[in-house]
Amino acid sequence: MDPIREEAIHNERDVRVICVGAGASGICLAYKLQRSFRRFSLTIYDKNPRVGGTWYENRYPGCACDVPSHNYVYSFEPKADFTSVYAGSGEIQNYFEGFVQKYDLQKYIKLSHAVRKTSWNEDDGRWEVETEDLATGAITRDWCHILVHACGYLNKPSWPKLPGIQDYQGTRVHSADYDTSISLADKNVLLIGAGSSGAQILPAIQPTVKNVTIFIRSPTWLLPDISTNAEQFTKEEIEKFVREPETVLKLRQDNERTMNSIFSLYLKGSILQEQCKTLLETTMKGILRDKEAEERLIPNFEVGCKRVIPSGFRYLKALKQPNVKVVYSAVTSFTPSGVVGADGNSYDGDVVICATGFDTSYISAYPILGPNGRNLQTEWAKSITGYMGVGASEFPNMFTLLGPYSPVSNGPTLIAIEAQADYICSFIDRYQTEPSIHSMTPKGDACADFQAHVGSFMNKAVWTGDCRNSLNNHSVRGRIPTTWPGSTLHYLEALREPRWDDWRFAHSTNRFSWLGNWHLADGVGSPRRSWLLHPAARRRRVDQPMEKGCGGQ
C-alpha cells in the first residue's frame, strides 16, 4: 500500500512563484519549472506588449547580435535555419516568441503589466507584489513564496541628461526604444553616441539619409564586420543544417571552443591582450589612413575594457562617406532645431537618434522592500551586494537572473541563464519538499566575502582600465565591475551546485518534518508505511527533464 502523499517523505507543498520579466531569462525559468515541477503556480509580469525583453526593445536599424547566431540559443533548443552568421534582432525575437508558443508558456505570462512595488512579509514568509495593467491602469496585488527578478542587464534606456532636451522640435528617439515607423529618407540626422548601437546604426542609415552627423565622445576598439549583411548563409547551407542537425552541433561546438579559449584577452598584460591590441590598431590605421581620425578613434586602453564594437570596420568605412560628418566631442545641450556640441558649435537636424546606451546601475525601477524596511534600490545605489548573479545579501526567498556579477562580458549569456535557472530551481525544489522552510537568505558575510574576492580579481582584469564601460555604469573605475571574475566556463562550474552554507535557512516548524510521519491504520493497529517514498513525493534533479506526461520534453 502506498503511503498517503501528505505523510510521505519529501511531500511536495504547493509553491507560488512570481517572475518579473519575460525576456530570455524569464521564459527559460518558465520552461524549467514546467518541465520539472508539478505543484506550482507561476506568473510572469512584463511591462512590454510582447515577450523577448531586450530583443523586443532593441529594433533600431542594423541591430544584430555580436555572438554567432547558432550559439545565441538555449542549449536544448537549437535553431537550424538562421539566415546569417550573426542574427539580426528581429530573427532573435522570433526565436523567443516561437519558443514560448512551442512550449505553451504564454499561459504564465501577463504582458503590459508593470511591477510597481515588491515587499517582504516576514510573518507570512512571502513576497507581496503590486502591479499595474498598463492598458487599463488597474492596480493588482499578488503574492508569492519565491520572487525572481529577471529584468535583465540592458533594460533601462539612458537618455542624455542635457538642458533643452524637451525643447527640441524635431523627431527624437532612443536606440533602445526605436520607432520603426520613422522615415529617414532624405533627412538630416544627428546620431549621438558611437558605442555598440551607434556603430551598427551608422552604416545601416548612411545610404538612406541626406546627411548624418555623428558625435563621438571617446574611442573604442573595433572588430571585423559582423552584421546581418555580412556572411549570409546560403540556401544550400541552411538546408544542410536542417537536414543534418549534427552539422549545427559541430558548428556550435567549434564556436564555443573559440570563444572560451580567448578569456586571457581580458587579463591586463596577457600575451593575447598585447597581440590583439597590436593587430586591431594596425588594421584600424589601414582603414582610416588619417592622422586625426587615428588619434581620435584608436584607444589607448586595453582591448575589452569597453565592449568591443561589432561591425566595426563597416562602421569605419561609413565614417568616410561624403554625407557623414564626424564631430569628436560630446553633446552639451539641445536647441529647438538640434544640439550644441562641446566644441561650442550648433548642429541642426530633422531627427536625433540617441544611441546613448543603458542605465546599468542594477537599481530597480520599483522598490524592493526587504526585512526591516530595507530597500534594495537604496542599498545598491551605494554598493552592489549581489551574490554570484543570483541573489542579494540578506533578502529572503528572492533571486535574480542575469543579476550583478553574471558573466555578461564575454560569450553568449544564454548558457549562463540556463545555469542560473537550474540553480534557482534547486532552491525551489528544496523549499517545496522541506515544508518547514520559512525562508532562504544569502548570508551577509558570504556576500561581503564574494564581493571582496571579485574586487581582488578585477585589479588584474581589463574592466578596471581607463575607460567608461557598462560594467562600471559608464564611469571610470567608479565601482567594482559587475561581471563574473572569470570565464563563462568558470561560472558554469561555480554554479553547478549550491553552496548551502552561504545561505541561511529559517524554519517555521520542526526542520525534520520533511521525513513524514507514522500513523496507525484504521483500527487495525499495524503501522501504515507512510515513511516510504510516495511515487509522487520525491526529490528531483532539476537539471534533468521529468518523464513524459509531467511537463517533460
Side-chain angles (χ1 to χ4, degrees):
M1 177 186 297
D2 287 334
I4 298 174
R5 177 197 293 266
E6 289 74 13
E7 297 175 351
I9 189 172
H10 290 313
N11 173 52
E12 298 177 3
R13 59 173 162 175
D14 294 323
V15 60
R16 289 173 63 108
V17 181
I18 289 179
C19 178
V20 185
S25 301
I27 63 177
C28 181
L29 178 66
Y31 168 85
K32 299 276 188 176
L33 285 172
Q34 178 173 272
R35 180 202 65 183
S36 298
F37 290 77
R38 296 181 182 88
R39 301 182 65 177
F40 77 97
S41 70
L42 169 66
T43 304
I44 301 178
Y45 293 104
D46 196 291
K47 66 183 186 299
N48 292 323
R50 293 168 61 185
V51 302
T54 189
W55 293 108
Y56 164 74
E57 296 172 351
N58 285 267
R59 47 190 179 272
Y60 57 80
C63 183
C65 188
D66 56 0
V67 171
S69 54
H70 287 98
N71 294 80
Y72 201 81
V73 294
Y74 302 123
S75 64
F76 54 85
E77 190 71 15
K79 175 179 168 62
D81 58 348
F82 276 112
T83 60
S84 58
V85 176
Y86 295 89
S89 59
E91 198 165 7
I92 297 173
Q93 170 70 8
N94 290 338
Y95 171 80
F96 289 126
E97 290 188 327
F99 179 80
V100 168
Q101 183 176 9
K102 177 178 178 179
Y103 292 104
D104 191 28
L105 304 178
Q106 61 268 19
K107 61 179 177 285
Y108 305 116
I109 302 170
K110 289 191 175 183
L111 298 173
S112 298
H113 278 69
V115 172
R116 296 304 184 203
K117 184 173 72 172
T118 64
S119 55
W120 171 250
N121 185 321
E122 177 65 24
D123 291 339
D124 295 333
R126 69 188 199 183
W127 283 91
E128 295 171 352
V129 179
E130 185 177 294
T131 66
E132 179 185 355
D133 185 333
L134 298 180
T136 66
I139 301 297
T140 301
R141 290 171 177 81
D142 201 352
W143 68 273
C144 62
H145 300 109
I146 307 293
L147 177 63
V148 181
H149 301 279
C151 302
Y153 177 58
L154 306 174
N155 68 333
K156 290 197 295 184
S158 179
W159 284 93
K161 296 178 177 62
L162 298 174
I165 189 169
Q166 300 300 330
D167 299 329
Y168 176 65
Q169 296 177 2
T171 300
R172 175 169 53 88
V173 66
H174 196 284
S175 57
D177 189 20
Y178 193 82
D179 183 353
T180 55
S181 69
I182 296 174
S183 173
L184 300 180
D186 298 321
K187 297 289 179 62
N188 293 314
V189 177
L190 305 177
L191 177 57
I192 304 175
S196 296
S197 300
Q200 289 182 329
I201 290 171
L202 180 66
I205 69 173
Q206 177 271 321
T208 301
V209 302
K210 182 178 180 181
N211 293 290
V212 56
T213 301
I214 181 171
F215 295 85
I216 302 175
R217 181 175 62 176
S218 59
T220 193
W221 291 106
L222 310 171
L223 286 177
D225 293 344
I226 53 171
S227 71
T228 52
N229 294 325
E231 297 191 59
Q232 294 275 338
F233 288 119
T234 65
K235 179 182 177 182
E236 291 73 23
E237 286 175 318
I238 295 173
E239 288 176 349
K240 183 177 181 180
F241 286 148
V242 173
R243 186 176 64 252
E244 303 174 18
E246 64 274 11
T247 61
V248 177
L249 177 60
K250 183 179 185 304
L251 176 61
R252 293 171 66 186
Q253 291 173 331
D254 290 343
N255 289 339
E256 288 289 347
R257 290 189 189 98
T258 299
M259 288 186 285
N260 288 316
S261 69
I262 64 170
F263 180 75
S264 64
L265 169 67
Y266 299 100
L267 301 178
K268 295 176 181 176
S270 67
I271 294 175
L272 185 57
Q273 170 64 217
E274 297 306 317
Q275 290 176 337
C276 189
K277 190 172 183 179
T278 299
L279 175 61
L280 292 183
E281 181 177 353
T282 301
T283 308
M284 289 175 68
K285 284 182 177 180
I287 294 175
L288 291 170
R289 299 185 179 278
D290 179 274
K291 190 67 176 177
E292 181 186 10
E294 292 172 11
E295 292 176 353
R296 299 280 194 174
L297 294 174
I298 299 177
N300 292 319
F301 51 76
E302 296 91 350
V303 177
C305 177
K306 182 189 298 186
R307 191 169 184 91
V308 180
I309 288 182
S311 305
F313 295 170
R314 188 165 169 251
Y315 159 71
L316 288 184
K317 293 171 185 176
L319 290 175
K320 302 176 71 174
Q321 297 304 310
N323 66 335
V324 176
K325 180 178 179 61
V326 182
V327 179
Y328 296 108
S329 77
V331 171
T332 58
S333 63
F334 279 74
T335 68
S337 59
V339 301
V340 177
D343 58 2
N345 295 320
S346 296
Y347 301 89
D348 293 342
D350 306 307
V351 180
V352 174
I353 301 175
C354 296
T356 47
F358 299 86
D359 175 351
T360 55
S361 65
Y362 282 105
I363 299 173
S364 172
Y366 48 86
I368 302 174
L369 305 178
N372 303 316
R374 296 166 53 203
N375 188 347
L376 198 61
Q377 290 176 310
T378 303
E379 295 194 6
W380 278 10
K382 299 175 183 177
S383 179
I384 305 292
T385 54
Y387 176 82
M388 298 180 71
V390 293
S393 175
E394 302 290 351
F395 275 72
N397 290 16
M398 190 191 84
F399 298 89
T400 58
L401 283 162
L402 281 193
Y405 308 114
S406 297
V408 298
S409 53
N410 61 298
T413 57
L414 266 65
I415 189 64
I417 289 171
E418 288 185 48
Q420 291 176 342
D422 283 332
Y423 184 93
I424 293 169
C425 283
S426 295
F427 279 80
I428 296 174
D429 177 46
R430 183 166 177 180
Y431 179 87
Q432 183 172 63
T433 56
E434 295 188 30
S436 67
I437 294 177
H438 170 271
S439 58
M440 309 170 291
T441 311
K443 295 177 182 176
D445 56 353
C447 294
D449 283 350
F450 171 71
Q451 188 180 33
H453 173 79
V454 173
S456 175
F457 173 86
M458 289 302 165
N459 291 327
K460 310 170 188 176
V462 299
W463 304 300
T464 51
D466 292 322
C467 76
R468 297 177 184 274
N469 65 53
S470 59
L471 306 174
N472 281 321
N473 198 25
H474 308 290
S475 62
V476 179
R477 290 173 292 186
R479 70 179 184 192
I480 296 174
T482 47
T483 190
W484 180 253
S487 67
T488 300
L489 288 178
H490 181 257
Y491 184 73
L492 298 182
E493 180 62 26
L495 224 64
R496 185 182 298 274
E497 295 179 354
R499 288 175 48 87
W500 300 113
D501 52 333
D502 290 345
W503 293 71
R504 180 180 301 108
F505 286 80
H507 297 265
S508 56
T509 60
N510 188 300
R511 71 184 63 218
F512 288 99
S513 61
W514 59 272
L515 288 172
N517 290 291
W518 281 61
H519 287 276
L520 295 180
D522 297 340
V524 177
S526 60
R528 187 191 303 275
R529 296 189 298 162
S530 58
W531 53 272
L532 292 175
L533 184 65
H534 189 280
R538 58 183 175 84
R539 292 297 289 271
R540 65 183 67 78
R541 287 194 60 192
V542 297
D543 59 342
Q544 297 293 334
M546 295 182 69
E547 63 271 16
K548 294 182 183 296
C550 298
Q553 296 178 356

